[in-house]
Amino acid sequence: MTCTAPHSAAYTAHVDTFARDRLPPHELWPELRFDLPELQFPERLNCASELLDAWVAKGQGGRLCMQGADLCWTYADLQAQANRIAHVLVQDMGVVSGNRVLLRGANSPMMAACWFAIMKVGAIAVATMPLLRAKELSQIIQKAEISHALCDERLAEELSLAQAHCPSLQHVGLYHSEAPDGVEARAAAHSPVFQNVDTAADDTCIIAFTSGTTGEPKGTMHFHRDVMAICRCWPPHVLRAKADDVFIGSPPLAFTFGLGGLVLFPLSIGASTVLLEKASPEMLLPAVARYRASVCFTAPTAYRVMAQQIKQSGAEGPAVSSLRKCVSAGEALPAATRALWKEATGIELIDGIGATEMLHIFISHDEAHARPGATGTPVPGYQACIMGEAGEILPAGQVGRLAVKGPTGCRYLADERQRAYVLKGWNLTGDAYLQDADGYFVYQSRTDDMIISGGYNIAGPEVEAALLAHPAVAECGVIGVPDEARGQIVKAVVVLRPGFVAGEALVRELQDFVKSTVAPYKYPRAVVFRDKLPRTETGKLQRFRLRHEE
Ligand code: 3UK
């Protein structure tokens, strides 16, 4: 079934129609497909009613729901807190449905309660990465015309700097605060009962800004229906977690990988989740042990670091025996990292590619169908193909542009770049992929990161994967740098494991090692050593920064 006339005079609960008025014109939308029986949605839908209130209504309010620094909430506790905050938003802060509410904090149960409160009042959550500075916050506040904010008191300073440049932002509530006008104190004065706004399934409920590396940030608009759709595709068909699982992980809730994996997916099955303010690889392992977590979401580099830690600390280290399922996304998962994790824990990683524009994962595999070096096959509910330059579908084995469609898709907030993301109804993620003879999708590189050297197309991540198999290499990034003779040459920036010495001998050894595992023309003609690599808050290598160092 395809979706027609998505913004005809249909029902909306939004009093403030900002979002609806700024959806891309319908002809620029990707085709939306609702091919599974469980993807048929009613006209009116509020995702907070489905994910949170429904459990309490079914008599499951006493189930464990969320744990964080020194606190432990049942579903009923989370519901009561979200309801009280919903009253704060409406009665104390003057929020009306359709308003954009900035949400700023490190992951915590309180942040999740604020997120649900925003859903309940029919407003639109715009979550931001904790490390964003005033300049970046201002861009987002201006673009989304944000009127209200809920902000962790410890991150208030940068927000007030931004506020000076943002006349639209009139009301800021600070949480994790002991102030008499802080969110907690105000919430305590309100009822724990709240009647959710009866939103339309296609009312926008979040605007997620892309963690893109260049240009002005792009806001992607997602509906209540989209939030429910992602809960019905990848989690039941691929992850298959259970109600007694304990979810944990590192991605910020401002990154839709984290929102889905650490809030939406556990709550959609009545499971519980651990929201950690600090979840670097060094802190994630002890947290897994402490909470006896069973389902973990983090980035490939974090699995690499944790595998090393488990190996080094042996039986003395944190016990990770509770872990059952481990999910990797955000960046390509090198085969060497998959192997290290399996060796350290016995667990086969579940890789999945997702994108902010698609909301969550659309190509993945379960443990039984893991294929080292490949991302997997389309998640039930989604379709994928490889497109050539003119939008033609390429046969197996050929490298081209990854194109996907399903129940979710790209809708940028008032942005010309919508035209570049959607072609013939397909979403173009900006990744170069090939599909192998068995239908598996194999990642090559970002389309604009492909290295062209001496007439050859070389994908940096393939060379990185080769280098990562060498015992001296902790992390690495491979880029193309300008070269008179060859156009570009392949350059590797390498972080060494402790105990290895940088120098000419090691450079030659690494070059020979690469030549022995991939086609020799791909070997890095330049190799340099660094202490660390530039990464985004979402764990992605910032190749443009490596290139900039040139
Ligand atoms: C890259 C991957 C290879 C790829 C995301 C899961 O990463 C997420 O969203 P972003 O908008 O970035 C999207 C881009 O990141 N990528 C992500 N996962 C993989 N490349 N293998 C992977 N497994 O270039 C993609 O186009 O930040 C991931 C769920 C939700 C998300 N938003």
Side-chain angles (χ1 to χ4, degrees), residues 211 255-257 329-332 351-356 359-361 429 431 433 443 446 540:
S211 54
F255 181 24
T256 63
F257 178 41
E331 271 199 315
D351 187 10
I353 178 173
T356 308
L359 198 50
H360 220 270
I361 291 173
T429 63
D431 297 294
Y433 259 84
Y443 179 78
R446 294 287 302 169
K540 289 191 214 298

PDB file of all heavy atoms in Angstrom, residues 211 255-257 329-332 351-356 359-361 429 431 433 443 446 540, ligand 1:
ATOM      1  N   SER A 211      23.622  14.585  12.038  1.00  0.00           N
ATOM      2  CA  SER A 211      24.980  14.755  12.536  1.00  0.00           C
ATOM      3  C   SER A 211      25.923  14.899  11.347  1.00  0.00           C
ATOM      4  O   SER A 211      27.065  14.529  11.416  1.00  0.00           O
ATOM      5  CB  SER A 211      25.368  13.552  13.401  1.00  0.00           C
ATOM      6  OG  SER A 211      25.158  12.361  12.668  1.00  0.00           O
ATOM      7  N   PHE A 255      20.496  11.428  19.018  1.00  0.00           N
ATOM      8  CA  PHE A 255      20.865  10.678  17.816  1.00  0.00           C
ATOM      9  C   PHE A 255      19.778   9.611  17.706  1.00  0.00           C
ATOM     10  O   PHE A 255      19.537   8.885  18.678  1.00  0.00           O
ATOM     11  CB  PHE A 255      22.244  10.072  18.077  1.00  0.00           C
ATOM     12  CG  PHE A 255      22.870   9.263  16.978  1.00  0.00           C
ATOM     13  CD1 PHE A 255      22.526   9.438  15.644  1.00  0.00           C
ATOM     14  CD2 PHE A 255      23.865   8.327  17.284  1.00  0.00           C
ATOM     15  CE1 PHE A 255      23.142   8.686  14.652  1.00  0.00           C
ATOM     16  CE2 PHE A 255      24.487   7.585  16.306  1.00  0.00           C
ATOM     17  CZ  PHE A 255      24.117   7.764  14.974  1.00  0.00           C
ATOM     18  N   THR A 256      19.103   9.502  16.570  1.00  0.00           N
ATOM     19  CA  THR A 256      17.953   8.596  16.526  1.00  0.00           C
ATOM     20  C   THR A 256      18.357   7.136  16.753  1.00  0.00           C
ATOM     21  O   THR A 256      17.532   6.324  17.159  1.00  0.00           O
ATOM     22  CB  THR A 256      17.143   8.734  15.221  1.00  0.00           C
ATOM     23  OG1 THR A 256      17.955   8.368  14.106  1.00  0.00           O
ATOM     24  CG2 THR A 256      16.627  10.160  15.049  1.00  0.00           C
ATOM     25  N   PHE A 257      19.638   6.790  16.555  1.00  0.00           N
ATOM     26  CA  PHE A 257      20.125   5.453  16.911  1.00  0.00           C
ATOM     27  C   PHE A 257      19.899   5.217  18.408  1.00  0.00           C
ATOM     28  O   PHE A 257      19.425   4.153  18.830  1.00  0.00           O
ATOM     29  CB  PHE A 257      21.612   5.339  16.539  1.00  0.00           C
ATOM     30  CG  PHE A 257      22.271   4.022  16.885  1.00  0.00           C
ATOM     31  CD1 PHE A 257      21.623   2.817  16.694  1.00  0.00           C
ATOM     32  CD2 PHE A 257      23.573   4.005  17.386  1.00  0.00           C
ATOM     33  CE1 PHE A 257      22.258   1.606  17.001  1.00  0.00           C
ATOM     34  CE2 PHE A 257      24.211   2.809  17.687  1.00  0.00           C
ATOM     35  CZ  PHE A 257      23.545   1.610  17.504  1.00  0.00           C
ATOM     36  N   ALA A 329      26.086   0.185  14.998  1.00  0.00           N
ATOM     37  CA  ALA A 329      25.625   1.043  13.889  1.00  0.00           C
ATOM     38  C   ALA A 329      26.308   2.389  13.986  1.00  0.00           C
ATOM     39  O   ALA A 329      27.003   2.675  14.958  1.00  0.00           O
ATOM     40  CB  ALA A 329      24.105   1.218  13.929  1.00  0.00           C
ATOM     41  N   GLY A 330      26.088   3.197  12.963  1.00  0.00           N
ATOM     42  CA  GLY A 330      26.683   4.533  12.917  1.00  0.00           C
ATOM     43  C   GLY A 330      27.806   4.607  11.913  1.00  0.00           C
ATOM     44  O   GLY A 330      28.000   5.629  11.256  1.00  0.00           O
ATOM     45  N   GLU A 331      28.546   3.526  11.809  1.00  0.00           N
ATOM     46  CA  GLU A 331      29.669   3.427  10.881  1.00  0.00           C
ATOM     47  C   GLU A 331      29.775   1.983  10.450  1.00  0.00           C
ATOM     48  O   GLU A 331      29.262   1.096  11.139  1.00  0.00           O
ATOM     49  CB  GLU A 331      30.983   3.757  11.588  1.00  0.00           C
ATOM     50  CG  GLU A 331      31.372   5.188  11.582  1.00  0.00           C
ATOM     51  CD  GLU A 331      32.861   5.349  11.872  1.00  0.00           C
ATOM     52  OE1 GLU A 331      33.379   4.692  12.795  1.00  0.00           O
ATOM     53  OE2 GLU A 331      33.503   6.119  11.161  1.00  0.00           O
ATOM     54  N   ALA A 332      30.497   1.760   9.360  1.00  0.00           N
ATOM     55  CA  ALA A 332      30.691   0.385   8.908  1.00  0.00           C
ATOM     56  C   ALA A 332      31.405  -0.427   9.990  1.00  0.00           C
ATOM     57  O   ALA A 332      32.282   0.079  10.689  1.00  0.00           O
ATOM     58  CB  ALA A 332      31.504   0.384   7.623  1.00  0.00           C
ATOM     59  N   ASP A 351      24.977  -6.017  13.006  1.00  0.00           N
ATOM     60  CA  ASP A 351      25.289  -4.749  12.343  1.00  0.00           C
ATOM     61  C   ASP A 351      24.013  -4.236  11.697  1.00  0.00           C
ATOM     62  O   ASP A 351      23.149  -5.027  11.284  1.00  0.00           O
ATOM     63  CB  ASP A 351      26.373  -4.996  11.282  1.00  0.00           C
ATOM     64  CG  ASP A 351      26.890  -3.709  10.637  1.00  0.00           C
ATOM     65  OD1 ASP A 351      26.571  -2.601  11.122  1.00  0.00           O
ATOM     66  OD2 ASP A 351      27.637  -3.825   9.634  1.00  0.00           O
ATOM     67  N   GLY A 352      23.866  -2.909  11.604  1.00  0.00           N
ATOM     68  CA  GLY A 352      22.709  -2.350  10.913  1.00  0.00           C
ATOM     69  C   GLY A 352      23.034  -0.958  10.446  1.00  0.00           C
ATOM     70  O   GLY A 352      23.643  -0.191  11.191  1.00  0.00           O
ATOM     71  N   ILE A 353      22.643  -0.640   9.212  1.00  0.00           N
ATOM     72  CA  ILE A 353      22.800   0.740   8.768  1.00  0.00           C
ATOM     73  C   ILE A 353      21.474   1.465   8.929  1.00  0.00           C
ATOM     74  O   ILE A 353      20.425   0.959   8.532  1.00  0.00           O
ATOM     75  CB  ILE A 353      23.324   0.863   7.319  1.00  0.00           C
ATOM     76  CG1 ILE A 353      23.412   2.348   6.928  1.00  0.00           C
ATOM     77  CG2 ILE A 353      22.466   0.095   6.311  1.00  0.00           C
ATOM     78  CD1 ILE A 353      24.069   2.620   5.570  1.00  0.00           C
ATOM     79  N   GLY A 354      21.558   2.624   9.563  1.00  0.00           N
ATOM     80  CA  GLY A 354      20.403   3.495   9.707  1.00  0.00           C
ATOM     81  C   GLY A 354      20.804   4.886   9.289  1.00  0.00           C
ATOM     82  O   GLY A 354      21.972   5.130   8.971  1.00  0.00           O
ATOM     83  N   ALA A 355      19.857   5.798   9.283  1.00  0.00           N
ATOM     84  CA  ALA A 355      20.148   7.184   8.961  1.00  0.00           C
ATOM     85  C   ALA A 355      19.093   8.060   9.626  1.00  0.00           C
ATOM     86  O   ALA A 355      17.954   7.623   9.807  1.00  0.00           O
ATOM     87  CB  ALA A 355      20.138   7.406   7.446  1.00  0.00           C
ATOM     88  N   THR A 356      19.493   9.263   9.985  1.00  0.00           N
ATOM     89  CA  THR A 356      18.564  10.199  10.608  1.00  0.00           C
ATOM     90  C   THR A 356      17.354  10.423   9.698  1.00  0.00           C
ATOM     91  O   THR A 356      16.220  10.497  10.173  1.00  0.00           O
ATOM     92  CB  THR A 356      19.295  11.524  10.883  1.00  0.00           C
ATOM     93  OG1 THR A 356      20.498  11.230  11.599  1.00  0.00           O
ATOM     94  CG2 THR A 356      18.441  12.461  11.720  1.00  0.00           C
ATOM     95  N   LEU A 359      15.102   7.567  10.073  1.00  0.00           N
ATOM     96  CA  LEU A 359      14.818   7.408  11.502  1.00  0.00           C
ATOM     97  C   LEU A 359      15.611   6.285  12.164  1.00  0.00           C
ATOM     98  O   LEU A 359      16.190   6.486  13.216  1.00  0.00           O
ATOM     99  CB  LEU A 359      13.308   7.226  11.764  1.00  0.00           C
ATOM    100  CG  LEU A 359      12.828   7.464  13.193  1.00  0.00           C
ATOM    101  CD1 LEU A 359      13.317   8.796  13.770  1.00  0.00           C
ATOM    102  CD2 LEU A 359      11.313   7.401  13.254  1.00  0.00           C
ATOM    103  N   HIS A 360      15.623   5.076  11.542  1.00  0.00           N
ATOM    104  CA  HIS A 360      16.423   4.015  12.179  1.00  0.00           C
ATOM    105  C   HIS A 360      16.974   3.030  11.141  1.00  0.00           C
ATOM    106  O   HIS A 360      17.121   3.382   9.957  1.00  0.00           O
ATOM    107  CB  HIS A 360      15.640   3.317  13.301  1.00  0.00           C
ATOM    108  CG  HIS A 360      16.496   3.026  14.481  1.00  0.00           C
ATOM    109  ND1 HIS A 360      17.188   1.854  14.615  1.00  0.00           N
ATOM    110  CD2 HIS A 360      16.807   3.779  15.556  1.00  0.00           C
ATOM    111  CE1 HIS A 360      17.899   1.895  15.744  1.00  0.00           C
ATOM    112  NE2 HIS A 360      17.687   3.049  16.329  1.00  0.00           N
ATOM    113  N   ILE A 361      17.235   1.795  11.583  1.00  0.00           N
ATOM    114  CA  ILE A 361      17.961   0.819  10.761  1.00  0.00           C
ATOM    115  C   ILE A 361      17.079   0.228   9.663  1.00  0.00           C
ATOM    116  O   ILE A 361      15.942  -0.162   9.921  1.00  0.00           O
ATOM    117  CB  ILE A 361      18.513  -0.304  11.672  1.00  0.00           C
ATOM    118  CG1 ILE A 361      19.626   0.269  12.561  1.00  0.00           C
ATOM    119  CG2 ILE A 361      19.026  -1.492  10.860  1.00  0.00           C
ATOM    120  CD1 ILE A 361      20.135  -0.704  13.626  1.00  0.00           C
ATOM    121  N   THR A 429      20.996   7.530   0.443  1.00  0.00           N
ATOM    122  CA  THR A 429      21.618   7.811   1.741  1.00  0.00           C
ATOM    123  C   THR A 429      22.983   8.481   1.627  1.00  0.00           C
ATOM    124  O   THR A 429      23.526   8.931   2.629  1.00  0.00           O
ATOM    125  CB  THR A 429      21.809   6.504   2.534  1.00  0.00           C
ATOM    126  OG1 THR A 429      22.715   5.665   1.797  1.00  0.00           O
ATOM    127  CG2 THR A 429      20.487   5.779   2.726  1.00  0.00           C
ATOM    128  N   ASP A 431      25.588   6.757   0.435  1.00  0.00           N
ATOM    129  CA  ASP A 431      26.574   5.689   0.605  1.00  0.00           C
ATOM    130  C   ASP A 431      26.782   4.930  -0.702  1.00  0.00           C
ATOM    131  O   ASP A 431      25.832   4.683  -1.443  1.00  0.00           O
ATOM    132  CB  ASP A 431      26.095   4.696   1.671  1.00  0.00           C
ATOM    133  CG  ASP A 431      25.969   5.354   3.025  1.00  0.00           C
ATOM    134  OD1 ASP A 431      27.003   5.751   3.577  1.00  0.00           O
ATOM    135  OD2 ASP A 431      24.825   5.507   3.514  1.00  0.00           O
ATOM    136  N   TYR A 433      27.545   1.377  -2.184  1.00  0.00           N
ATOM    137  CA  TYR A 433      27.360  -0.017  -1.760  1.00  0.00           C
ATOM    138  C   TYR A 433      27.416  -0.909  -2.985  1.00  0.00           C
ATOM    139  O   TYR A 433      27.282  -0.443  -4.125  1.00  0.00           O
ATOM    140  CB  TYR A 433      25.971  -0.205  -1.126  1.00  0.00           C
ATOM    141  CG  TYR A 433      25.953  -0.234   0.380  1.00  0.00           C
ATOM    142  CD1 TYR A 433      25.925   0.952   1.099  1.00  0.00           C
ATOM    143  CD2 TYR A 433      25.934  -1.438   1.093  1.00  0.00           C
ATOM    144  CE1 TYR A 433      25.881   0.932   2.489  1.00  0.00           C
ATOM    145  CE2 TYR A 433      25.881  -1.449   2.480  1.00  0.00           C
ATOM    146  CZ  TYR A 433      25.864  -0.267   3.170  1.00  0.00           C
ATOM    147  OH  TYR A 433      25.820  -0.285   4.548  1.00  0.00           O
ATOM    148  N   TYR A 443      28.992  -2.520   2.209  1.00  0.00           N
ATOM    149  CA  TYR A 443      29.354  -1.103   2.278  1.00  0.00           C
ATOM    150  C   TYR A 443      30.704  -0.857   1.618  1.00  0.00           C
ATOM    151  O   TYR A 443      31.642  -1.642   1.796  1.00  0.00           O
ATOM    152  CB  TYR A 443      29.411  -0.683   3.751  1.00  0.00           C
ATOM    153  CG  TYR A 443      29.789   0.746   3.976  1.00  0.00           C
ATOM    154  CD1 TYR A 443      28.867   1.766   3.790  1.00  0.00           C
ATOM    155  CD2 TYR A 443      31.076   1.090   4.375  1.00  0.00           C
ATOM    156  CE1 TYR A 443      29.201   3.095   3.995  1.00  0.00           C
ATOM    157  CE2 TYR A 443      31.424   2.419   4.594  1.00  0.00           C
ATOM    158  CZ  TYR A 443      30.485   3.414   4.401  1.00  0.00           C
ATOM    159  OH  TYR A 443      30.826   4.721   4.600  1.00  0.00           O
ATOM    160  N   ARG A 446      31.287   6.416   1.926  1.00  0.00           N
ATOM    161  CA  ARG A 446      30.375   7.498   1.589  1.00  0.00           C
ATOM    162  C   ARG A 446      30.648   7.840   0.122  1.00  0.00           C
ATOM    163  O   ARG A 446      31.808   7.795  -0.316  1.00  0.00           O
ATOM    164  CB  ARG A 446      30.640   8.733   2.466  1.00  0.00           C
ATOM    165  CG  ARG A 446      30.346   8.551   3.931  1.00  0.00           C
ATOM    166  CD  ARG A 446      28.871   8.507   4.244  1.00  0.00           C
ATOM    167  NE  ARG A 446      28.158   9.702   3.806  1.00  0.00           N
ATOM    168  CZ  ARG A 446      26.828   9.810   3.783  1.00  0.00           C
ATOM    169  NH1 ARG A 446      26.065   8.790   4.157  1.00  0.00           N
ATOM    170  NH2 ARG A 446      26.264  10.914   3.389  1.00  0.00           N
ATOM    171  N   LYS A 540      31.343   8.788  14.671  1.00  0.00           N
ATOM    172  CA  LYS A 540      31.782   8.707  13.272  1.00  0.00           C
ATOM    173  C   LYS A 540      33.127   9.387  13.086  1.00  0.00           C
ATOM    174  O   LYS A 540      33.356  10.478  13.601  1.00  0.00           O
ATOM    175  CB  LYS A 540      30.770   9.401  12.360  1.00  0.00           C
ATOM    176  CG  LYS A 540      29.473   8.670  12.206  1.00  0.00           C
ATOM    177  CD  LYS A 540      28.677   9.313  11.084  1.00  0.00           C
ATOM    178  CE  LYS A 540      27.195   9.264  11.346  1.00  0.00           C
ATOM    179  NZ  LYS A 540      26.635   7.925  11.447  1.00  0.00           N
TER     180      LYS A 540
HETATM  181  C1  3UK B   1      26.591   5.634   8.036  1.00  0.00           C
HETATM  182  C2  3UK B   1      26.737   3.160   8.379  1.00  0.00           C
HETATM  183  C3  3UK B   1      27.923   1.475   7.332  1.00  0.00           C
HETATM  184  C4  3UK B   1      26.109   5.671   6.600  1.00  0.00           C
HETATM  185  C5  3UK B   1      21.967   5.924  12.396  1.00  0.00           C
HETATM  186  C6  3UK B   1      21.401   3.667  13.077  1.00  0.00           C
HETATM  187  O1  3UK B   1      24.141   6.593  11.706  1.00  0.00           O
HETATM  188  C7  3UK B   1      22.959   6.870  11.763  1.00  0.00           C
HETATM  189  O2  3UK B   1      22.436   8.046  11.240  1.00  0.00           O
HETATM  190  P1  3UK B   1      23.271   9.288  10.676  1.00  0.00           P
HETATM  191  O3  3UK B   1      22.287  10.191  10.037  1.00  0.00           O
HETATM  192  O4  3UK B   1      24.279   8.700   9.592  1.00  0.00           O
HETATM  193  C8  3UK B   1      23.843   7.901   8.512  1.00  0.00           C
HETATM  194  C9  3UK B   1      25.051   7.383   7.766  1.00  0.00           C
HETATM  195  O5  3UK B   1      25.954   6.741   8.685  1.00  0.00           O
HETATM  196  N1  3UK B   1      26.234   4.382   8.705  1.00  0.00           N
HETATM  197  C10 3UK B   1      25.376   4.206   9.722  1.00  0.00           C
HETATM  198  N2  3UK B   1      25.324   2.916  10.092  1.00  0.00           N
HETATM  199  C11 3UK B   1      26.165   2.228   9.269  1.00  0.00           C
HETATM  200  N3  3UK B   1      27.610   2.776   7.424  1.00  0.00           N
HETATM  201  N4  3UK B   1      27.423   0.518   8.167  1.00  0.00           N
HETATM  202  C12 3UK B   1      26.549   0.848   9.146  1.00  0.00           C
HETATM  203  N5  3UK B   1      26.071  -0.084   9.969  1.00  0.00           N
HETATM  204  O6  3UK B   1      26.993   6.476   5.873  1.00  0.00           O
HETATM  205  C13 3UK B   1      24.731   6.324   6.729  1.00  0.00           C
HETATM  206  O7  3UK B   1      24.280   6.889   5.527  1.00  0.00           O
HETATM  207  O8  3UK B   1      24.124   9.884  11.752  1.00  0.00           O
HETATM  208  C14 3UK B   1      22.299   4.575  12.522  1.00  0.00           C
HETATM  209  C15 3UK B   1      20.157   4.085  13.497  1.00  0.00           C
HETATM  210  C16 3UK B   1      19.804   5.416  13.374  1.00  0.00           C
HETATM  211  C17 3UK B   1      20.710   6.342  12.820  1.00  0.00           C
HETATM  212  N6  3UK B   1      20.334   7.653  12.722  1.00  0.00           N
END
